[in-house]
Amino acid sequence: MFWRASYISLFLLIAAPLGAHSPYYTQVEPLQPDGSGFALKLLNGDGVVGSDPVRAVIVDEAGHARAISPLGVSLHISCLRGEGTRRCVVYDGISAEVFEPDPGTWETRPVIEQDGKPMPTAYPEHMGQSFGFLVRSATWAEILLFEASKIISSPISACLALLWWTAIASLLTFTFWRIGRPDFRGAATVLWAVLRLAAAAGLFSATVKAWGWAPYSPYYAAFFAMSGALCALVLTRPRQHAQVGKHPIRE
């Protein structure tokens, strides 16, 4: 049995690189209202384990890379429509940096896509130095705008994040409300409180490990952690029931 398990593990280690996927786009935004000319795209590679690395690239109609952003793992494109053009920037949710296209420093690099799809060899992690973008720190107003834009663009993920953090916080708040009650004395009550606290600690530990495996914006996480805590406080708050008819009748 030991040798069989060893052979299977060795096979999986050898086969893992063979299962690597091709580069792919996750967000495509034309830089002109009619969709012609240049386009700003998020090009994802293969992280093998963990998050896929990603770069923002500006591609012309012939598929040439004209600008390549720094490498990241949590990028988001935000665009504002102007007169005859679109102003688009890229937001890095991990470093809270903004990548602004800088046309004066664009170059014409080899073709990286064909028929609107990345070439099989166009991995962002192998593209070398970035160029064609100005890199600066995001303002607080921009962070709020970009994070709100991500929530609006992915409502299902936002709902799941809220439910997850509410579940963790509910285990804590329910125990908090129970501790304040006079009947919090029995061994069973204390045991259930300990189990709920242990479950909350386990879920939080899993969340931290998942974040380390596939990082995303800490501002995004903080928003849903606080929102989940507020929801949990409301949902688990003890209800005050009227004690009508329960007082003994004195003769």
Side-chain angles (χ1 to χ4, degrees):
M1 181 64 69
F2 172 80
W3 291 109
R4 181 181 299 177
S6 300
Y7 292 145
I8 293 175
S9 300
L10 180 61
F11 172 79
L12 292 175
L13 289 174
I14 295 174
L18 300 178
H21 57 70
S22 299
Y24 61 97
Y25 292 132
T26 50
Q27 192 175 358
V28 176
E29 299 289 347
L31 295 181
Q32 295 179 351
D34 59 2
S36 63
F38 303 107
L40 178 60
K41 308 182 179 185
L42 294 185
L43 176 64
N44 294 256
D46 186 4
V48 183
V49 291
S51 294
D52 290 340
V54 57
R55 289 183 192 262
V57 295
I58 294 178
V59 185
D60 61 21
E61 292 180 312
H64 293 277
R66 304 299 296 270
I68 300 174
S69 79
L71 193 66
V73 294
S74 180
L75 302 185
H76 177 74
I77 300 174
S78 180
C79 295
L80 296 176
R81 187 181 295 272
E83 296 182 359
T85 186
R86 300 182 78 205
R87 179 181 178 272
C88 297
V89 297
V90 182
Y91 171 65
D92 188 330
I94 302 298
S95 63
E97 292 179 324
V98 174
F99 308 149
E100 293 187 15
D102 183 16
T105 60
W106 288 2
E107 303 175 8
T108 302
R109 293 292 180 92
V111 173
I112 63 169
E113 73 173 33
Q114 187 175 16
D115 298 327
K117 296 182 179 180
M119 303 286 284
T121 57
Y123 285 99
E125 57 266 40
H126 301 154
M127 286 185 170
Q129 295 294 324
S130 61
F131 66 94
F133 287 89
L134 294 175
V135 181
R136 61 175 177 81
S137 298
T139 64
W140 281 108
E142 287 176 324
I143 291 175
L144 291 175
L145 175 64
F146 297 146
E147 295 295 347
S149 176
K150 287 193 295 184
I151 293 173
I152 294 172
S153 63
S154 302
I156 296 178
S157 298
C159 290
L160 291 176
L162 180 59
L163 290 174
W164 179 263
W165 283 105
T166 301
I168 295 176
S170 295
L171 293 169
L172 299 174
T173 57
F174 185 82
T175 303
F176 169 79
W177 295 122
R178 288 286 295 171
I179 291 176
R181 294 177 58 176
D183 60 347
F184 188 76
R185 295 189 184 89
T189 304
V190 174
L191 177 60
W192 277 111
V194 172
L195 291 176
R196 282 192 292 270
L197 293 177
L203 291 176
F204 182 76
S205 176
T207 304
V208 173
K209 291 179 180 179
W211 188 90
W213 183 270
Y216 52 92
S217 170
Y219 301 101
Y220 186 92
F223 171 77
F224 283 106
M226 290 187 293
S227 299
L230 291 175
C231 290
L233 284 171
V234 174
L235 293 174
T236 61
R237 184 180 180 86
R239 271 41 174 189
Q240 300 295 330
H241 300 286
Q243 302 293 321
V244 179
K246 294 187 177 180
H247 296 287
I249 299 177
R250 297 182 179 179
E251 297 181 357

mmCIF file of all heavy atoms in Angstrom, residues 76 78 91-98 136-151 217-220 223:
data_model
loop_
_atom_site.group_PDB
_atom_site.id
_atom_site.type_symbol
_atom_site.label_atom_id
_atom_site.label_comp_id
_atom_site.label_asym_id
_atom_site.label_seq_id
_atom_site.Cartn_x
_atom_site.Cartn_y
_atom_site.Cartn_z
ATOM 1 N N HIS A 76 -7.715 44.820 -11.687
ATOM 2 C CA HIS A 76 -9.076 45.145 -12.132
ATOM 3 C C HIS A 76 -9.012 46.389 -12.991
ATOM 4 O O HIS A 76 -8.331 47.364 -12.647
ATOM 5 C CB HIS A 76 -9.982 45.382 -10.923
ATOM 6 C CG HIS A 76 -11.374 45.795 -11.281
ATOM 7 N ND1 HIS A 76 -12.305 44.917 -11.791
ATOM 8 C CD2 HIS A 76 -11.993 47.007 -11.221
ATOM 9 C CE1 HIS A 76 -13.432 45.557 -12.011
ATOM 10 N NE2 HIS A 76 -13.274 46.827 -11.680
ATOM 11 N N SER A 78 -10.827 49.651 -14.656
ATOM 12 C CA SER A 78 -11.945 50.568 -14.457
ATOM 13 C C SER A 78 -11.872 51.645 -15.541
ATOM 14 O O SER A 78 -10.816 52.250 -15.746
ATOM 15 C CB SER A 78 -11.883 51.208 -13.069
ATOM 16 O OG SER A 78 -12.963 52.091 -12.863
ATOM 17 N N TYR A 91 -6.233 48.765 -11.603
ATOM 18 C CA TYR A 91 -6.071 48.841 -10.153
ATOM 19 C C TYR A 91 -5.531 47.521 -9.624
ATOM 20 O O TYR A 91 -6.077 46.458 -9.920
ATOM 21 C CB TYR A 91 -7.414 49.168 -9.508
ATOM 22 C CG TYR A 91 -7.449 49.064 -7.999
ATOM 23 C CD1 TYR A 91 -6.693 49.923 -7.207
ATOM 24 C CD2 TYR A 91 -8.251 48.119 -7.368
ATOM 25 C CE1 TYR A 91 -6.734 49.844 -5.823
ATOM 26 C CE2 TYR A 91 -8.311 48.037 -5.986
ATOM 27 C CZ TYR A 91 -7.554 48.897 -5.218
ATOM 28 O OH TYR A 91 -7.594 48.810 -3.848
ATOM 29 N N ASP A 92 -4.453 47.597 -8.857
ATOM 30 C CA ASP A 92 -3.883 46.420 -8.198
ATOM 31 C C ASP A 92 -4.428 46.384 -6.775
ATOM 32 O O ASP A 92 -4.062 47.211 -5.930
ATOM 33 C CB ASP A 92 -2.358 46.504 -8.196
ATOM 34 C CG ASP A 92 -1.704 45.221 -7.688
ATOM 35 O OD1 ASP A 92 -2.308 44.522 -6.852
ATOM 36 O OD2 ASP A 92 -0.586 44.900 -8.132
ATOM 37 N N GLY A 93 -5.317 45.423 -6.502
ATOM 38 C CA GLY A 93 -5.961 45.354 -5.197
ATOM 39 C C GLY A 93 -5.030 44.969 -4.061
ATOM 40 O O GLY A 93 -5.349 45.227 -2.894
ATOM 41 N N ILE A 94 -3.904 44.356 -4.358
ATOM 42 C CA ILE A 94 -2.971 43.954 -3.302
ATOM 43 C C ILE A 94 -2.087 45.129 -2.874
ATOM 44 O O ILE A 94 -1.954 45.431 -1.693
ATOM 45 C CB ILE A 94 -2.095 42.778 -3.759
ATOM 46 C CG1 ILE A 94 -2.972 41.587 -4.171
ATOM 47 C CG2 ILE A 94 -1.125 42.369 -2.656
ATOM 48 C CD1 ILE A 94 -3.816 41.027 -3.065
ATOM 49 N N SER A 95 -1.483 45.796 -3.847
ATOM 50 C CA SER A 95 -0.573 46.903 -3.538
ATOM 51 C C SER A 95 -1.268 48.255 -3.487
ATOM 52 O O SER A 95 -0.651 49.255 -3.114
ATOM 53 C CB SER A 95 0.552 46.956 -4.582
ATOM 54 O OG SER A 95 0.019 47.230 -5.879
ATOM 55 N N ALA A 96 -2.559 48.306 -3.874
ATOM 56 C CA ALA A 96 -3.320 49.564 -3.944
ATOM 57 C C ALA A 96 -2.615 50.567 -4.851
ATOM 58 O O ALA A 96 -2.524 51.755 -4.539
ATOM 59 C CB ALA A 96 -3.550 50.142 -2.555
ATOM 60 N N GLU A 97 -2.135 50.076 -5.999
ATOM 61 C CA GLU A 97 -1.495 50.927 -6.988
ATOM 62 C C GLU A 97 -2.373 51.037 -8.232
ATOM 63 O O GLU A 97 -3.189 50.160 -8.515
ATOM 64 C CB GLU A 97 -0.121 50.380 -7.384
ATOM 65 C CG GLU A 97 0.917 50.454 -6.276
ATOM 66 C CD GLU A 97 2.253 49.881 -6.703
ATOM 67 O OE1 GLU A 97 2.268 48.898 -7.464
ATOM 68 O OE2 GLU A 97 3.284 50.414 -6.267
ATOM 69 N N VAL A 98 -2.187 52.129 -8.954
ATOM 70 C CA VAL A 98 -2.920 52.364 -10.193
ATOM 71 C C VAL A 98 -1.922 52.377 -11.343
ATOM 72 O O VAL A 98 -0.882 53.040 -11.258
ATOM 73 C CB VAL A 98 -3.686 53.703 -10.136
ATOM 74 C CG1 VAL A 98 -4.335 54.013 -11.488
ATOM 75 C CG2 VAL A 98 -4.750 53.654 -9.053
ATOM 76 N N ARG A 136 1.411 54.550 -9.903
ATOM 77 C CA ARG A 136 1.306 55.451 -8.760
ATOM 78 C C ARG A 136 0.408 54.812 -7.704
ATOM 79 O O ARG A 136 -0.327 53.855 -7.987
ATOM 80 C CB ARG A 136 0.728 56.801 -9.184
ATOM 81 C CG ARG A 136 -0.668 56.722 -9.770
ATOM 82 C CD ARG A 136 -1.234 58.105 -10.064
ATOM 83 N NE ARG A 136 -2.553 58.030 -10.686
ATOM 84 C CZ ARG A 136 -3.685 57.833 -10.032
ATOM 85 N NH1 ARG A 136 -3.673 57.690 -8.695
ATOM 86 N NH2 ARG A 136 -4.846 57.787 -10.656
ATOM 87 N N SER A 137 0.453 55.355 -6.488
ATOM 88 C CA SER A 137 -0.407 54.870 -5.414
ATOM 89 C C SER A 137 -1.824 55.401 -5.608
ATOM 90 O O SER A 137 -2.022 56.554 -6.004
ATOM 91 C CB SER A 137 0.127 55.331 -4.054
ATOM 92 O OG SER A 137 1.416 54.790 -3.817
ATOM 93 N N ALA A 138 -2.809 54.560 -5.337
ATOM 94 C CA ALA A 138 -4.207 54.968 -5.459
ATOM 95 C C ALA A 138 -4.591 55.863 -4.291
ATOM 96 O O ALA A 138 -4.124 55.676 -3.166
ATOM 97 C CB ALA A 138 -5.109 53.741 -5.503
ATOM 98 N N THR A 139 -5.441 56.842 -4.553
ATOM 99 C CA THR A 139 -5.978 57.674 -3.479
ATOM 100 C C THR A 139 -7.087 56.894 -2.767
ATOM 101 O O THR A 139 -7.586 55.890 -3.280
ATOM 102 C CB THR A 139 -6.543 58.984 -4.037
ATOM 103 O OG1 THR A 139 -7.674 58.697 -4.895
ATOM 104 C CG2 THR A 139 -5.482 59.726 -4.849
ATOM 105 N N TRP A 140 -7.481 57.387 -1.584
ATOM 106 C CA TRP A 140 -8.553 56.705 -0.855
ATOM 107 C C TRP A 140 -9.852 56.735 -1.649
ATOM 108 O O TRP A 140 -10.622 55.768 -1.629
ATOM 109 C CB TRP A 140 -8.744 57.347 0.513
ATOM 110 C CG TRP A 140 -7.709 56.915 1.516
ATOM 111 C CD1 TRP A 140 -6.682 57.650 2.021
ATOM 112 C CD2 TRP A 140 -7.598 55.614 2.108
ATOM 113 N NE1 TRP A 140 -5.936 56.894 2.898
ATOM 114 C CE2 TRP A 140 -6.477 55.645 2.980
ATOM 115 C CE3 TRP A 140 -8.325 54.442 1.998
ATOM 116 C CZ2 TRP A 140 -6.071 54.545 3.719
ATOM 117 C CZ3 TRP A 140 -7.931 53.330 2.749
ATOM 118 C CH2 TRP A 140 -6.828 53.394 3.582
ATOM 119 N N ALA A 141 -10.107 57.838 -2.339
ATOM 120 C CA ALA A 141 -11.318 57.923 -3.155
ATOM 121 C C ALA A 141 -11.280 56.886 -4.277
ATOM 122 O O ALA A 141 -12.299 56.251 -4.584
ATOM 123 C CB ALA A 141 -11.464 59.329 -3.733
ATOM 124 N N GLU A 142 -10.119 56.699 -4.874
ATOM 125 C CA GLU A 142 -9.988 55.712 -5.950
ATOM 126 C C GLU A 142 -10.133 54.294 -5.404
ATOM 127 O O GLU A 142 -10.745 53.435 -6.056
ATOM 128 C CB GLU A 142 -8.636 55.879 -6.648
ATOM 129 C CG GLU A 142 -8.553 57.107 -7.527
ATOM 130 C CD GLU A 142 -7.177 57.283 -8.130
ATOM 131 O OE1 GLU A 142 -6.175 56.968 -7.456
ATOM 132 O OE2 GLU A 142 -7.088 57.762 -9.275
ATOM 133 N N ILE A 143 -9.582 54.038 -4.237
ATOM 134 C CA ILE A 143 -9.721 52.704 -3.649
ATOM 135 C C ILE A 143 -11.187 52.374 -3.426
ATOM 136 O O ILE A 143 -11.656 51.279 -3.769
ATOM 137 C CB ILE A 143 -8.924 52.619 -2.325
ATOM 138 C CG1 ILE A 143 -7.424 52.672 -2.605
ATOM 139 C CG2 ILE A 143 -9.281 51.335 -1.571
ATOM 140 C CD1 ILE A 143 -6.565 52.719 -1.365
ATOM 141 N N LEU A 144 -11.942 53.329 -2.863
ATOM 142 C CA LEU A 144 -13.372 53.111 -2.651
ATOM 143 C C LEU A 144 -14.087 52.885 -3.981
ATOM 144 O O LEU A 144 -14.948 52.000 -4.098
ATOM 145 C CB LEU A 144 -13.977 54.306 -1.914
ATOM 146 C CG LEU A 144 -13.546 54.498 -0.454
ATOM 147 C CD1 LEU A 144 -14.134 55.794 0.096
ATOM 148 C CD2 LEU A 144 -13.989 53.310 0.401
ATOM 149 N N LEU A 145 -13.742 53.677 -4.996
ATOM 150 C CA LEU A 145 -14.379 53.555 -6.302
ATOM 151 C C LEU A 145 -14.075 52.211 -6.948
ATOM 152 O O LEU A 145 -14.979 51.524 -7.449
ATOM 153 C CB LEU A 145 -13.905 54.694 -7.209
ATOM 154 C CG LEU A 145 -14.401 54.647 -8.658
ATOM 155 C CD1 LEU A 145 -15.912 54.802 -8.712
ATOM 156 C CD2 LEU A 145 -13.725 55.747 -9.481
ATOM 157 N N PHE A 146 -12.807 51.804 -6.928
ATOM 158 C CA PHE A 146 -12.414 50.558 -7.576
ATOM 159 C C PHE A 146 -12.978 49.345 -6.845
ATOM 160 O O PHE A 146 -13.418 48.379 -7.481
ATOM 161 C CB PHE A 146 -10.888 50.462 -7.658
ATOM 162 C CG PHE A 146 -10.258 51.533 -8.501
ATOM 163 C CD1 PHE A 146 -9.017 52.059 -8.176
ATOM 164 C CD2 PHE A 146 -10.898 52.019 -9.625
ATOM 165 C CE1 PHE A 146 -8.431 53.049 -8.943
ATOM 166 C CE2 PHE A 146 -10.322 53.010 -10.415
ATOM 167 C CZ PHE A 146 -9.079 53.523 -10.067
ATOM 168 N N GLU A 147 -12.954 49.377 -5.506
ATOM 169 C CA GLU A 147 -13.483 48.242 -4.754
ATOM 170 C C GLU A 147 -14.993 48.122 -4.964
ATOM 171 O O GLU A 147 -15.528 47.015 -5.099
ATOM 172 C CB GLU A 147 -13.160 48.400 -3.262
ATOM 173 C CG GLU A 147 -11.680 48.366 -2.922
ATOM 174 C CD GLU A 147 -11.020 47.027 -3.206
ATOM 175 O OE1 GLU A 147 -11.737 46.035 -3.431
ATOM 176 O OE2 GLU A 147 -9.771 46.979 -3.209
ATOM 177 N N ALA A 148 -15.702 49.266 -4.999
ATOM 178 C CA ALA A 148 -17.143 49.241 -5.268
ATOM 179 C C ALA A 148 -17.415 48.708 -6.662
ATOM 180 O O ALA A 148 -18.369 47.944 -6.881
ATOM 181 C CB ALA A 148 -17.733 50.633 -5.104
ATOM 182 N N SER A 149 -16.566 49.084 -7.612
ATOM 183 C CA SER A 149 -16.725 48.597 -8.988
ATOM 184 C C SER A 149 -16.562 47.086 -9.057
ATOM 185 O O SER A 149 -17.301 46.397 -9.779
ATOM 186 C CB SER A 149 -15.700 49.287 -9.899
ATOM 187 O OG SER A 149 -15.771 48.780 -11.220
ATOM 188 N N LYS A 150 -15.622 46.539 -8.292
ATOM 189 C CA LYS A 150 -15.431 45.086 -8.280
ATOM 190 C C LYS A 150 -16.643 44.374 -7.687
ATOM 191 O O LYS A 150 -17.057 43.325 -8.168
ATOM 192 C CB LYS A 150 -14.164 44.720 -7.486
ATOM 193 C CG LYS A 150 -12.878 45.054 -8.217
ATOM 194 C CD LYS A 150 -11.682 44.397 -7.571
ATOM 195 C CE LYS A 150 -11.424 44.908 -6.192
ATOM 196 N NZ LYS A 150 -10.195 44.322 -5.591
ATOM 197 N N ILE A 151 -17.204 44.950 -6.631
ATOM 198 C CA ILE A 151 -18.379 44.339 -6.004
ATOM 199 C C ILE A 151 -19.560 44.334 -6.973
ATOM 200 O O ILE A 151 -20.265 43.330 -7.120
ATOM 201 C CB ILE A 151 -18.738 45.091 -4.715
ATOM 202 C CG1 ILE A 151 -17.642 44.882 -3.663
ATOM 203 C CG2 ILE A 151 -20.086 44.613 -4.167
ATOM 204 C CD1 ILE A 151 -17.825 45.715 -2.413
ATOM 205 N N SER A 217 -7.764 41.616 -2.590
ATOM 206 C CA SER A 217 -7.633 42.914 -1.938
ATOM 207 C C SER A 217 -7.941 42.845 -0.441
ATOM 208 O O SER A 217 -9.010 42.380 -0.043
ATOM 209 C CB SER A 217 -8.576 43.929 -2.593
ATOM 210 O OG SER A 217 -8.633 45.115 -1.844
ATOM 211 N N PRO A 218 -7.042 43.320 0.406
ATOM 212 C CA PRO A 218 -7.341 43.359 1.849
ATOM 213 C C PRO A 218 -8.472 44.326 2.173
ATOM 214 O O PRO A 218 -9.174 44.152 3.171
ATOM 215 C CB PRO A 218 -6.014 43.799 2.474
ATOM 216 C CG PRO A 218 -5.269 44.465 1.375
ATOM 217 C CD PRO A 218 -5.673 43.786 0.113
ATOM 218 N N TYR A 219 -8.652 45.357 1.347
ATOM 219 C CA TYR A 219 -9.759 46.294 1.565
ATOM 220 C C TYR A 219 -11.090 45.590 1.304
ATOM 221 O O TYR A 219 -12.074 45.810 2.015
ATOM 222 C CB TYR A 219 -9.623 47.504 0.639
ATOM 223 C CG TYR A 219 -8.344 48.269 0.836
ATOM 224 C CD1 TYR A 219 -7.274 48.114 -0.036
ATOM 225 C CD2 TYR A 219 -8.196 49.148 1.910
ATOM 226 C CE1 TYR A 219 -6.088 48.818 0.147
ATOM 227 C CE2 TYR A 219 -7.020 49.853 2.101
ATOM 228 C CZ TYR A 219 -5.969 49.676 1.214
ATOM 229 O OH TYR A 219 -4.792 50.355 1.407
ATOM 230 N N TYR A 220 -11.116 44.745 0.285
ATOM 231 C CA TYR A 220 -12.306 43.950 -0.042
ATOM 232 C C TYR A 220 -12.635 43.027 1.128
ATOM 233 O O TYR A 220 -13.792 42.928 1.559
ATOM 234 C CB TYR A 220 -12.009 43.153 -1.310
ATOM 235 C CG TYR A 220 -13.164 42.366 -1.885
ATOM 236 C CD1 TYR A 220 -13.989 42.928 -2.852
ATOM 237 C CD2 TYR A 220 -13.390 41.050 -1.502
ATOM 238 C CE1 TYR A 220 -15.036 42.193 -3.408
ATOM 239 C CE2 TYR A 220 -14.430 40.316 -2.048
ATOM 240 C CZ TYR A 220 -15.248 40.895 -3.011
ATOM 241 O OH TYR A 220 -16.278 40.173 -3.552
ATOM 242 N N PHE A 223 -13.917 45.019 4.200
ATOM 243 C CA PHE A 223 -15.283 45.501 4.033
ATOM 244 C C PHE A 223 -16.290 44.403 4.355
ATOM 245 O O PHE A 223 -17.260 44.620 5.095
ATOM 246 C CB PHE A 223 -15.495 46.003 2.602
ATOM 247 C CG PHE A 223 -16.929 46.316 2.278
ATOM 248 C CD1 PHE A 223 -17.522 47.484 2.727
ATOM 249 C CD2 PHE A 223 -17.689 45.423 1.535
ATOM 250 C CE1 PHE A 223 -18.844 47.777 2.438
ATOM 251 C CE2 PHE A 223 -19.018 45.697 1.239
ATOM 252 C CZ PHE A 223 -19.599 46.882 1.687
#
